[in-house]
Coordinates of all heavy atoms in Angstrom, one line a residue:
E102 N 39.1 142.8 119.5 CA 39.9 143.5 120.6 C 39.3 143.4 121.8 O 38.1 143.4 122.1 CB 39.9 144.9 120.1 CG 40.8 145.9 121.0 CD 40.8 147.3 120.6 OE1 40.1 147.7 119.7 OE2 41.6 148.1 121.1
W103 N 40.3 143.2 122.9 CA 39.7 143.3 124.4 C 39.6 144.7 124.7 O 40.3 145.6 124.3 CB 40.9 142.7 125.2 CG 40.9 141.2 125.2 CD1 41.9 140.4 124.6 CD2 40.0 140.2 125.7 NE1 41.6 139.1 124.8 CE2 40.5 138.9 125.5 CE3 38.7 140.4 126.4 CZ2 39.7 137.8 125.8 CZ3 38.1 139.2 126.8 CH2 38.5 138.0 126.5
Q104 N 38.5 145.0 125.5 CA 38.2 146.3 125.9 C 37.7 146.3 127.5 O 37.4 145.2 127.9 CB 37.0 146.9 125.1 CG 37.3 147.0 123.6 CD 37.7 148.4 123.2 OE1 36.9 149.2 122.9 NE2 39.0 148.8 123.2
G105 N 37.9 147.4 128.0 CA 37.3 147.6 129.4 C 38.4 147.5 130.5 O 39.4 146.9 130.3
R106 N 38.1 148.2 131.6 CA 39.1 148.2 132.7 C 39.3 146.8 133.3 O 40.4 146.5 133.8 CB 38.7 149.2 133.7 CG 39.8 149.7 134.7 CD 39.4 151.0 135.5 NE 38.3 150.7 136.4 CZ 38.4 150.2 137.6 NH1 39.7 149.9 138.1 NH2 37.5 150.0 138.5
G107 N 38.2 146.1 133.4 CA 38.4 144.7 133.8 C 39.3 143.9 133.0 O 40.1 143.1 133.5
A108 N 39.3 144.1 131.6 CA 40.3 143.3 130.8 C 41.7 143.8 131.2 O 42.6 142.9 131.2 CB 40.0 143.6 129.3
E109 N 41.9 145.1 131.4 CA 43.3 145.6 131.8 C 43.7 144.8 133.1 O 44.9 144.6 133.3 CB 43.1 147.1 132.0 CG 42.9 147.9 130.6 CD 42.8 149.4 130.7 OE1 43.1 149.8 132.0 OE2 42.4 150.1 129.9
L110 N 42.9 144.7 134.0 CA 43.1 144.3 135.4 C 43.6 142.7 135.2 O 44.5 142.2 136.0 CB 41.9 144.3 136.3 CG 41.5 145.7 136.8 CD1 40.1 145.5 137.5 CD2 42.6 146.2 137.7
L111 N 43.1 142.0 134.2 CA 43.5 140.7 133.8 C 44.7 140.6 132.8 O 45.1 139.5 132.6 CB 42.2 139.9 133.3 CG 41.0 139.7 134.3 CD1 39.9 139.2 133.5 CD2 41.4 138.7 135.4
G112 N 45.2 141.7 132.5 CA 46.3 141.7 131.6 C 46.0 141.3 130.1 O 46.7 140.8 129.3
L113 N 44.6 141.5 129.7 CA 44.1 141.3 128.4 C 44.1 142.4 127.5 O 43.6 143.5 127.9 CB 42.8 140.7 128.5 CG 42.6 139.3 129.3 CD1 41.1 139.0 129.4 CD2 43.2 138.1 128.5
S114 N 44.7 142.3 126.3 CA 44.9 143.5 125.4 C 45.0 142.9 124.1 O 45.3 141.7 123.8 CB 45.9 144.5 125.8 OG 47.2 143.8 125.7
G115 N 44.7 143.8 123.0 CA 44.9 143.3 121.7 C 43.9 142.3 121.3 O 42.7 142.4 121.6
Q116 N 44.3 141.5 120.2 CA 43.3 140.6 119.6 C 42.8 139.6 120.7 O 43.5 139.2 121.5 CB 43.9 139.8 118.5 CG 44.2 140.8 117.3 CD 44.9 139.9 116.0 OE1 44.7 138.7 116.1 NE2 45.4 140.7 115.2
V117 N 41.5 139.1 120.4 CA 40.9 138.2 121.3 C 41.3 136.8 120.9 O 40.9 136.3 119.8 CB 39.3 138.4 121.3 CG1 38.8 137.3 122.2 CG2 39.0 139.8 121.7
V118 N 42.1 136.1 121.8 CA 42.5 134.8 121.4 C 41.5 133.8 122.0 O 40.9 134.0 123.1 CB 43.8 134.4 122.1 CG1 44.3 133.0 121.7 CG2 44.9 135.4 121.6
T119 N 41.0 132.7 121.2 CA 40.0 131.8 121.5 C 40.2 131.2 123.0 O 39.1 131.1 123.7 CB 39.9 130.8 120.5 OG1 39.7 131.3 119.2 CG2 38.6 129.9 120.8
E120 N 41.4 130.8 123.2 CA 41.6 130.2 124.6 C 41.3 131.1 125.6 O 40.7 130.7 126.6 CB 43.0 129.7 124.6 CG 43.4 128.5 123.7 CD 43.5 128.8 122.2 OE1 43.7 130.2 122.0 OE2 43.5 128.0 121.4
D121 N 41.7 132.3 125.6 CA 41.4 133.3 126.6 C 40.0 133.6 126.6 O 39.4 133.8 127.8 CB 42.3 134.6 126.4 CG 43.7 134.5 126.5 OD1 44.2 133.6 127.2 OD2 44.5 135.3 125.8
F122 N 39.4 133.8 125.5 CA 37.9 134.1 125.4 C 37.1 133.0 126.1 O 36.2 133.3 127.0 CB 37.6 134.3 124.0 CG 36.3 134.8 123.7 CD1 35.7 135.9 124.3 CD2 35.3 134.2 122.9 CE1 34.5 136.5 124.1 CE2 34.1 134.6 122.6 CZ 33.6 135.8 123.2
T123 N 37.5 131.8 125.9 CA 36.8 130.6 126.4 C 36.9 130.7 128.0 O 35.8 130.4 128.7 CB 37.2 129.4 125.8 OG1 37.0 129.3 124.4 CG2 36.5 128.2 126.4
A124 N 38.1 130.9 128.4 CA 38.4 130.9 129.8 C 37.5 131.9 130.6 O 37.0 131.6 131.5 CB 39.9 131.0 130.1
I125 N 37.5 133.1 130.0 CA 36.8 134.3 130.7 C 35.3 134.0 130.7 O 34.7 134.1 131.6 CB 37.1 135.5 129.9 CG1 38.6 135.9 130.0 CG2 36.2 136.7 130.5 CD1 39.1 136.2 131.5
L126 N 34.8 133.5 129.6 CA 33.3 133.1 129.5 C 33.0 132.0 130.5 O 31.9 131.9 130.9 CB 32.8 132.7 128.1 CG 33.0 133.9 127.0 CD1 32.5 133.4 125.7 CD2 32.2 135.1 127.4
E129 N 36.7 131.7 134.5 CA 38.1 131.5 135.0 C 38.8 132.9 135.0 O 39.2 133.3 133.9 CB 38.8 130.4 134.1 CG 38.2 129.1 134.2 CD 38.8 128.2 133.2 OE1 39.9 128.4 132.8 OE2 38.1 127.1 132.9
L130 N 39.1 133.5 136.1 CA 39.7 134.7 136.1 C 40.8 134.8 137.2 O 40.6 134.7 138.4 CB 38.6 135.8 136.6 CG 37.5 136.0 135.6 CD1 36.2 135.4 136.4 CD2 37.2 137.4 135.2
G131 N 42.0 134.5 136.5 CA 43.1 134.4 137.4 C 43.1 133.0 138.1 O 42.8 132.0 137.6
V215 N 34.5 146.5 133.3 CA 34.0 145.2 132.6 C 35.1 144.6 131.8 O 36.1 145.2 131.6 CB 32.8 145.7 131.5 CG1 31.7 146.3 132.2 CG2 33.5 146.6 130.6
V216 N 34.9 143.3 131.6 CA 35.7 142.5 130.7 C 35.0 142.4 129.4 O 34.1 141.5 129.3 CB 36.2 141.2 131.4 CG1 37.1 140.4 130.4 CG2 36.7 141.3 132.6
A217 N 35.6 143.1 128.3 CA 34.7 143.1 127.1 C 35.5 142.6 126.0 O 36.7 143.1 125.8 CB 34.0 144.4 126.8
A218 N 35.0 141.8 125.1 CA 35.6 141.4 123.8 C 34.8 141.9 122.7 O 33.5 141.7 122.6 CB 35.6 139.8 123.7
V237 N 31.0 141.8 123.6 CA 30.6 140.6 124.4 C 31.1 140.9 125.8 O 32.4 141.1 126.0 CB 31.2 139.2 123.8 CG1 30.9 138.2 124.9 CG2 30.7 139.1 122.4
A239 N 31.6 139.9 129.4 CA 31.7 138.7 130.3 C 31.0 138.9 131.6 O 30.7 140.1 132.1 CB 33.2 138.4 130.7
A241 N 31.5 139.0 134.7 CA 32.4 139.1 135.7 C 32.8 140.5 135.9 O 33.1 141.3 134.9 CB 33.7 138.3 135.4
W249 N 36.6 138.8 142.1 CA 35.9 138.8 141.0 C 34.5 138.3 141.3 O 34.5 137.2 142.0 CB 36.6 138.0 139.9 CG 37.8 138.8 139.3 CD1 39.1 138.6 139.7 CD2 37.7 139.7 138.2 NE1 39.8 139.4 139.0 CE2 39.0 140.1 138.1 CE3 36.7 140.3 137.5 CZ2 39.4 141.0 137.1 CZ3 37.1 141.3 136.5 CH2 38.4 141.7 136.4

Side-chain angles (χ1 to χ4, degrees):
E102 183 182 6
W103 286 108
Q104 298 257 276
R106 199 165 66 86
E109 293 176 7
L110 292 170
L111 292 168
L113 297 170
S114 63
Q116 293 183 13
V117 179
V118 178
T119 304
E120 290 76 14
D121 293 336
F122 189 53
T123 301
I125 296 299
L126 294 184
E129 299 174 15
L130 298 109
V215 296
V216 182
V237 180
W249 289 93

